[in-house]
Amino acid sequence: MNLITVFLAIAVITILLIPFLQAKGKGVVLLTAIVLNAFLSGYLAIESLSEELSAFAFSGSLVTGPVNIRIDALAGWFILIINFVFITGGFYGLFYMKTYRNQTNNLSLHSIAFVLLHTALVSLCVIQNSIVFLVAWEIMAFSAFLLVIFEHEKMATLRAGWNYLIQSHVSIVFLMIGFIWVAFKTGSYDFIAITAYTSANQGAPGLLLFLCFFVAFAIKAGFVPFHTWLPYAHPAAPAHVSGIMSGVIIKIGIFGILRMITLIKVDFYTIGLIILIFSVISGLYGVMLAIVQHNLKKLLAYHSIENIGIIGMGIGIGCIGIGNGNAWLASLGFAGALFHTLNHALFKSLLFFTAGNVYQATHTLHIEHLGGLIKKMPQTALLFLIAAIAICGIPPFNGFISEFIIYNGFYHWMKDGLVGPLMTIIFSVLALVLIGGLAMLCFTKAFGIVFLGNPRQKFHHEVKEVPAMQLLPLYLIAFLIISIGVIPQIFLNALALPVNLLAGFSVNAGLPFQDQITGILQPLNWGIWIFILIILATFVIRKFAMQNRKVVVNTTWGCGYVQPTVKIQYTASSFVRAYSKLFRPILMTSKTEKEVEGIFPTGGMYETHIYDRIEKYFIDNPIAAYKAFLGRFLFLQNGRLQFYILYGIIFIVSIICIPYFYDQIVLFFEFIKQI
Amino acid sequence: MLSLILIIIAASFFTGIIIRVKSLASGRKGPGVFQPLKDVSRLFKKGVVYSETTSFVFQIAPTIYFSSVVMAMLVVPFGQSKGIISFNGDFIFFAYVLALGKFFSIISAMDTGSSFEGMGASREALYSMFAEPAFFILMGSLALLTGHTSFQEMFAALHIGSYISYALAILGAFVLMMVAMVENSRMPIDDPKTHLELTMVHEVMILDNSGFDLGLILTAGYLKFALYGALVVNLFIGVFPYQYSIPMFFVIQLVLASGVGLIESFMARFRMSHNAQFIFVLTSVSLLIFFGVLLILGKFA
């Protein structure tokens, strides 16, 4: 019995056990299983990050051929991220799901799907056989679907789930095409066949194959324009599932792309440019739409698209580095991408969990209805603030480190020196800077409106902080966010092997990455420490200076107006009004308003709805056209039995007749040929 | 180290000179050059009034804002002499550290729950977002021109030789100065002496700050001006020895300060709704610099 069998056995036993337990027991068993499996897989993953490649071979079945399991450094890195987010998410979920304790059956399904998802995600990282990979992929997609539709009595949730399920299957179609293509040409389902095939067929086939896989994985990762499922699925799911979806499920798409980079041998320069273009568009488009969202979780979902864009930029630079034979550039790009994957998993899951806290306390996620929560939920507010600063890529938190590496990649690429690349660089840098600025606009809005000021609405229930145990995993994530920001070296050392693998060095060829990245980050680190010291010093001075000062508490200055109501506060829409006016050509806002008129004005109203322009042109319009086309055949399904019998008869007759007529036609042509 | 001292000295008179120039231009005598310092030191001695709406964010924000400016000062070099810390890509650090300060000043404005301060916060967030690309492209162009990616190495390697590079240096100075105007909320983006809260940007964000905190914010503002002034100076002094460059530093800072004063005396603020477009134009100017660099390096050939 090896570790893999134990891993699968734990999952199976848990799944069998869950239906027979009480609600509380389900949660405990689920978490135990996740933790056990996380330690098992984590053990192998950590080993793989320190130069030991663990590989297992199973004989497989007649259909699949031998199944190889290989835990290389890339898989190790992702497994660790998956495990961390699942443990914190599972722990958080225990408390988040308390409200739903009476829905026993629903909870069983949810818990089973949760374990399945974890098992499938970890397996996806290590499986080296395309058929088994597809099976695991399907399990992953389907169990995620089950998790999303937990509140299936709501129509919107179901629709979001279906949307996700359908788009996942579009992704699977592309994956299948890719795998079948390779299997058809080489006769093997092993991943090595992909390398063999593409190194034998350089040029167009390799490129096309890569694009096929790229589209498949891009749908999962949420690159624009394949992102449209994401803003629906994330808000519909329970908070811990949203955190996991954004933290790791979309990252499996990134993993897929990276895995294919290690397998497929093509012209990486072109690939890099393609990925870079997609990423820049994703990054900008994601954050542009995020700003105008009214639903807190939807806002966060669009930010996932933005961050996928940033990760993609790293991957793009990495590919270009491979293509140019510039190992250091490749290392910088991939290091930035992998590191940002970790960072995004951390701060985005934290943001979703805190959004879950807000939802639990207020039962709404509509930003305009919230406000002043920092007084009722100070800890949640603080955690959200940390994550918000981190996601904007501002020091001293983790987001800055990975963005700094990516910036370094761009500026290093500049030494390349041709006009074409230089223009690409300058516009990508422009995009990255704009993304940072827009993210800041977005999160000052989100934090400012939701947590600061006065409550905009009276709730009929008490709004209070969630229990301390529920905050525990959140503090753990926040701790990691801060420690990565302050001492990134430890985490970057773990990155050395995955980066070498991607950038194409052999393990034993020395590790240029480790020394150089330390060389780049050490002074930055000093800077960050000095910065923290300055902040602390200023605090101390302030504290000292304020010791004997008079502190008065009074109302906010209202320019002489002494009876302010909460309604005069700035709203989220007004905060971003100037922005949405400027970006009107890109955004799609429909608005209904009734102005306040007359001497004794009656109630006016103003309502805006945001829609995704790409979704309209890329998804809705084609589907509408398709439906219109199929609508032409609607007369066939007229509900009359006689017609259906007629169809049956026509079918039977044609089955019998077509071969006969075929023979006749063939005969006829031969006759003509003879003439 | 040298740059730090010089910036602090320049900061002590920069704002005073602006005010003095404005007074003279409008035919008044005006306060002394060091009046802003006296104002700040008075504020430091005062008690504070907090709004009952505010939370801890409002109390920590001024400190962090001030610290971010101080940190940014440590990165800026002076010609050949490095800043206190200097490394590859320090200009990225510079911009992002300032962004932390901005983040906090924006949310502290929103913490008061005042509609006026929300308005200012919204504008500040939008403008600083548009100003940053110009700075990054300018620095990118310099990095391309010199082949270095730290402030000090870039500025030290700047040799003003051909006509194009003169044009570039002037354009660069223009971009930096306009970024400084945006960052400090001065004319033509914002009018610090306006009397209507609706038309302010920065001033309206700090309506509720008082005492020590307000002192910190004002000091940070003075320092920030001198900071950007120092960056502009750095564009020109690259290779000069100290006996020329230090006087040059003060002369350029003086010219900049009186320039700002004159602009504020004789110009009206831009329409608020056109500000964003105007700021984004800076990005195209910096793109122009980038193309100029490509020309110098002969990349188009």
Side-chain angles (χ1 to χ4, degrees):
Chain A
M1 227 165 75
N2 56 29
L3 287 175
I4 305 283
T5 335
V6 177
F7 178 79
L8 293 176
I10 291 175
V12 171
I13 291 168
T14 318
I15 289 169
L16 290 178
L17 207 60
I18 281 174
F20 302 103
L21 293 167
Q22 294 290 315
K24 201 170 181 182
K26 285 187 214 298
V28 173
V29 167
L30 167 112
L31 192 64
T32 325
I34 297 280
V35 169
L36 274 180
N37 266 351
F39 274 106
L40 264 182
S41 52
Y43 167 69
L44 290 176
I46 289 173
E47 251 189 1
S48 75
L49 287 178
S50 52
E51 279 191 65
E52 257 176 77
L53 192 74
S54 348
F56 302 84
F58 292 86
S59 58
S61 67
L62 199 62
V63 185
T64 56
V67 179
N68 285 317
I69 304 281
R70 196 164 53 237
I71 308 174
D72 58 6
L74 178 63
W77 181 254
F78 276 87
I79 287 176
L80 289 180
I81 296 176
I82 291 169
N83 284 337
F84 182 78
V85 176
F86 261 86
I87 291 175
T88 48
F91 195 89
Y92 176 80
L94 281 189
F95 296 91
Y96 185 77
M97 298 307 269
K98 255 186 185 163
T99 350
Y100 306 96
R101 277 247 165 106
N102 46 359
Q103 307 181 19
T104 326
N105 293 336
N106 204 0
L107 269 185
S108 296
L109 190 63
H110 189 78
S111 316
I112 290 174
F114 198 83
V115 177
L116 265 183
L117 182 65
H118 179 240
T119 320
L121 279 171
V122 173
S123 316
L124 278 174
C125 296
V126 297
I127 293 169
Q128 301 287 317
N129 180 301
S130 43
I131 288 189
V132 184
F133 186 87
L134 277 178
V135 172
W137 188 267
E138 176 67 40
I139 293 175
M140 183 267 294
F142 193 71
S143 52
F145 165 71
L146 288 179
L147 288 174
V148 168
I149 59 159
F150 179 75
E151 291 182 280
H152 51 70
E153 65 281 353
K154 288 184 193 160
M155 198 54 202
T157 308
L158 266 188
R159 290 185 76 91
W162 289 332
N163 193 335
Y164 162 69
L165 195 66
I166 293 168
Q167 298 216 28
S168 303
H169 282 82
V170 175
S171 141
I172 290 174
V173 168
F174 278 100
L175 274 184
M176 276 166 75
I177 294 174
F179 285 136
I180 290 174
W181 180 353
V182 174
F184 180 70
K185 295 281 186 187
T186 61
S188 161
Y189 287 116
D190 201 281
F191 277 1
I192 298 169
I194 299 176
T195 316
Y197 173 67
T198 47
S199 32
N201 297 279
Q202 294 279 353
L207 201 64
L208 212 60
L209 186 68
F210 186 89
L211 284 185
C212 193
F213 283 120
F214 177 72
V215 171
F217 290 122
I219 292 175
K220 187 99 272 180
F223 277 101
V224 173
F226 312 110
H227 67 282
T228 49
W229 63 272
L230 214 143
Y232 291 103
H234 285 37
H240 62 293
V241 177
S242 321
I244 287 170
M245 282 196 97
S246 190
V248 292
I249 296 184
I250 61 171
K251 300 300 158 43
I252 208 73
I254 295 291
F255 170 80
I257 294 170
L258 290 173
R259 172 61 77 212
M260 286 305 148
I261 288 171
T262 61
L263 290 173
I264 296 180
K265 300 283 169 253
V266 284
D267 172 18
F268 277 107
Y269 189 76
T270 321
I271 294 286
L273 282 184
I274 294 172
I275 295 180
L276 199 58
I277 290 168
F278 270 102
S279 309
V280 166
I281 295 172
S282 303
L284 280 176
Y285 191 74
V287 70
M288 278 177 184
L289 263 89
I291 293 178
V292 287
Q293 300 303 322
H294 301 308
N295 180 314
L296 184 57
K297 269 178 154 182
K298 203 165 183 180
L299 178 150
L300 296 178
Y302 272 108
H303 266 285
S304 298
I305 300 169
E306 170 227 312
N307 277 283
I308 287 293
I310 296 177
I311 296 171
M313 284 186 197
I315 300 178
I317 299 172
C319 287
I320 287 164
I322 304 179
N324 283 348
N326 185 342
W328 177 229
L329 179 60
S331 310
L332 274 178
F334 287 126
L338 286 173
F339 209 45
H340 202 71
T341 309
L342 168 68
N343 291 340
H344 179 244
L346 293 175
F347 51 63
K348 191 45 77 60
S349 55
L350 183 53
L351 284 169
F352 270 115
F353 297 160
T354 42
N357 289 354
V358 169
Y359 183 70
Q360 254 188 327
T362 63
H363 307 309
T364 180
L365 283 170
H366 198 294
I367 295 179
E368 305 282 25
H369 295 170
L370 297 165
L373 284 180
I374 198 167
K375 302 229 179 48
K376 302 278 172 53
M377 316 171 69
Q379 304 192 52
T380 303
L382 180 67
L383 290 164
F384 189 95
L385 179 61
I386 291 174
I389 296 175
I391 200 175
C392 293
I394 293 175
F397 297 129
N398 63 354
F400 176 67
I401 307 289
S402 41
E403 283 191 26
F404 184 77
I405 298 175
I406 293 176
Y407 271 118
N408 257 305
F410 277 122
Y411 285 117
H412 181 73
W413 183 19
M414 230 174 209
K415 292 177 182 150
D416 214 20
L418 295 168
V419 175
L422 285 174
M423 301 298 272
T424 322
I425 293 165
I426 213 72
F427 282 105
S428 308
V429 168
L430 179 64
L432 196 52
V433 178
L434 262 183
I435 289 171
L438 288 164
M440 194 163 109
L441 179 65
C442 188
F443 275 97
T444 45
K445 164 194 141 175
F447 183 75
I449 301 291
V450 173
F451 290 100
L452 302 178
N454 285 310
R456 290 183 171 70
Q457 210 179 44
K458 282 228 159 42
F459 293 103
H460 299 299
H461 46 83
E462 193 197 352
V463 176
K464 60 173 194 292
E465 183 67 275
V466 296
M469 280 300 271
Q470 188 173 349
L471 289 168
L472 188 71
L474 276 57
Y475 276 115
L476 184 64
I477 302 175
F479 173 73
L480 265 188
I481 289 179
I482 296 170
S483 40
I484 292 179
V486 181
I487 33 169
Q489 284 89 345
I490 302 172
F491 301 88
L492 279 163
N493 283 342
L495 257 181
L497 278 181
V499 168
N500 281 345
L501 183 77
L502 283 165
F505 307 117
S506 65
V507 176
N508 301 322
L511 301 170
F513 174 74
Q514 240 158 328
D515 301 334
Q516 294 215 35
I517 202 80
T518 322
I520 282 189
L521 285 183
Q522 193 60 54
L524 173 70
N525 226 354
W526 282 113
I528 288 173
W529 289 341
I530 294 176
F531 186 32
I532 292 173
L533 273 181
I534 292 177
I535 292 178
L536 290 180
T538 322
F539 267 120
V540 172
I541 294 171
R542 178 176 180 273
K543 180 117 188 134
F544 198 68
M546 301 262 290
Q547 240 167 12
N548 299 318
R549 297 273 184 278
K550 204 167 82 177
V551 176
V552 183
V553 175
N554 211 325
T555 48
T556 297
W557 168 240
C559 301
Y561 187 62
V562 285
Q563 286 294 317
T565 74
V566 292
K567 280 188 183 166
I568 66 168
Q569 287 182 91
Y570 232 45
T571 62
S573 305
S574 43
F575 188 75
V576 296
R577 181 169 168 275
Y579 160 82
S580 42
K581 267 177 86 177
L582 277 175
F583 285 78
R584 194 179 289 155
I586 296 166
L587 309 168
M588 228 172 117
T589 322
S590 62
K591 107 178 133 177
T592 44
E593 61 181 316
K594 188 168 152 263
E595 287 203 13
V596 182
E597 284 171 341
I599 300 167
F600 299 106
T602 48
M605 58 91 76
Y606 180 87
E607 217 177 87
T608 52
H609 290 279
I610 312 296
Y611 198 65
D612 191 333
R613 198 173 280 271
I614 289 183
E615 186 175 358
K616 181 165 182 245
Y617 292 114
F618 194 72
I619 306 281
D620 292 355
N621 286 358
I623 286 180
Y626 183 63
K627 268 168 100 176
F629 174 70
L630 289 185
R632 292 176 186 276
F633 300 96
L634 210 61
F635 69 91
L636 290 174
Q637 196 186 11
N638 47 21
R640 289 192 204 142
L641 194 59
Q642 296 94 318
F643 274 91
Y644 292 159
I645 295 172
L646 179 66
Y647 299 154
I649 291 170
I650 292 174
F651 177 70
I652 294 169
V653 169
S654 44
I655 289 284
I656 296 168
C657 290
I658 286 172
Y660 174 73
F661 281 121
Y662 180 75
D663 285 348
Q664 294 301 313
I665 292 165
V666 171
L667 261 178
F668 177 71
F669 274 107
E670 275 176 11
F671 177 70
I672 289 176
K673 270 183 200 161
Q674 277 170 12
I675 295 172
Chain B
M1 198 63 204
L2 182 61
S3 60
L4 183 67
I5 297 165
L6 287 175
I7 290 173
I8 291 174
I9 296 173
S12 65
F13 64 77
F14 202 102
T15 315
I17 286 186
I18 296 178
I19 295 173
R20 196 61 190 262
V21 168
K22 280 167 76 175
S23 311
L24 291 176
S26 58
R28 288 176 288 128
K29 188 162 164 257
V33 171
F34 294 106
Q35 186 59 40
L37 288 190
K38 290 175 193 156
D39 290 347
V40 165
S41 65
R42 195 190 64 222
L43 279 172
F44 279 137
K45 287 180 205 138
K46 283 199 164 187
V48 282
V49 183
Y50 290 124
S51 155
E52 58 202 8
T53 314
T54 57
S55 62
F56 70 90
V57 171
F58 187 76
Q59 303 194 19
I60 61 171
T63 310
I64 293 179
Y65 178 66
F66 176 79
S67 314
S68 77
V69 175
V70 172
M71 184 65 225
M73 271 168 29
L74 300 190
V75 181
V76 173
F78 180 74
Q80 304 293 336
S81 105
K82 286 184 180 179
I84 292 195
I85 52 169
S86 163
F87 52 92
N88 284 338
D90 54 2
F91 65 91
I92 305 167
F93 184 62
F94 173 86
Y96 275 77
V97 160
L98 285 178
L100 180 73
K102 249 176 279 168
F103 191 102
F104 270 94
S105 68
I106 291 168
I107 60 174
S108 96
M110 299 184 74
D111 199 11
T112 57
S114 142
S115 51
F116 299 112
E117 291 181 45
M119 206 177 287
S122 154
R123 287 169 185 160
E124 173 97 349
L126 191 69
Y127 296 164
S128 61
M129 168 193 104
F130 278 128
E132 251 166 38
F135 177 76
F136 270 84
I137 293 181
L138 174 65
M139 286 302 146
S141 316
L142 294 183
L144 179 65
L145 183 64
T146 59
H148 298 289
T149 50
S150 80
F151 267 139
Q152 193 266 332
E153 286 169 320
M154 272 192 294
F155 289 135
L158 267 185
H159 295 290
I160 297 189
S162 64
Y163 289 118
I164 300 177
S165 58
Y166 272 117
L168 289 187
I170 289 167
L171 278 180
F174 171 74
V175 168
L176 272 180
M177 217 45 227
M178 289 324 286
V179 170
M181 294 305 185
V182 177
E183 297 281 334
N184 289 292
S185 310
R186 305 298 292 215
M187 291 276 215
I189 311 301
D190 183 15
D191 187 354
K193 283 284 167 268
T194 177
H195 294 289
L196 183 61
E197 283 86 349
L198 285 173
T199 57
M200 300 174 178
V201 180
H202 184 70
E203 303 301 311
V204 77
M205 288 174 68
I206 53 173
L207 272 182
D208 265 284
N209 288 97
S210 54
F212 195 84
D213 288 345
L214 184 61
L216 278 181
I217 294 174
L218 292 181
T219 318
Y222 303 153
L223 289 173
K224 222 172 174 181
F225 237 129
L227 179 68
Y228 278 95
L231 281 184
V232 174
V233 173
N234 267 313
L235 277 179
F236 298 101
I237 56 164
V239 285
F240 293 118
Y242 290 134
Q243 65 265 37
Y244 299 115
S245 61
I246 292 176
M248 241 173 109
F249 175 87
F250 287 112
V251 169
I252 293 179
Q253 292 272 25
L254 273 175
V255 170
L256 288 178
S258 30
V260 172
L262 286 175
I263 288 175
E264 287 190 4
S265 308
F266 295 105
M267 236 180 105
R269 180 176 55 74
F270 285 157
R271 268 183 67 186
M272 209 53 106
S273 55
H274 290 179
N275 263 345
Q277 282 101 319
F278 166 74
I279 297 167
F280 207 59
V281 165
L282 288 182
T283 309
S284 26
V285 176
S286 55
L287 273 178
L288 209 64
I289 298 175
F290 180 70
F291 291 135
V293 169
L294 289 185
L295 260 180
I296 292 180
L297 295 175
K299 299 282 184 191
F300 285 122

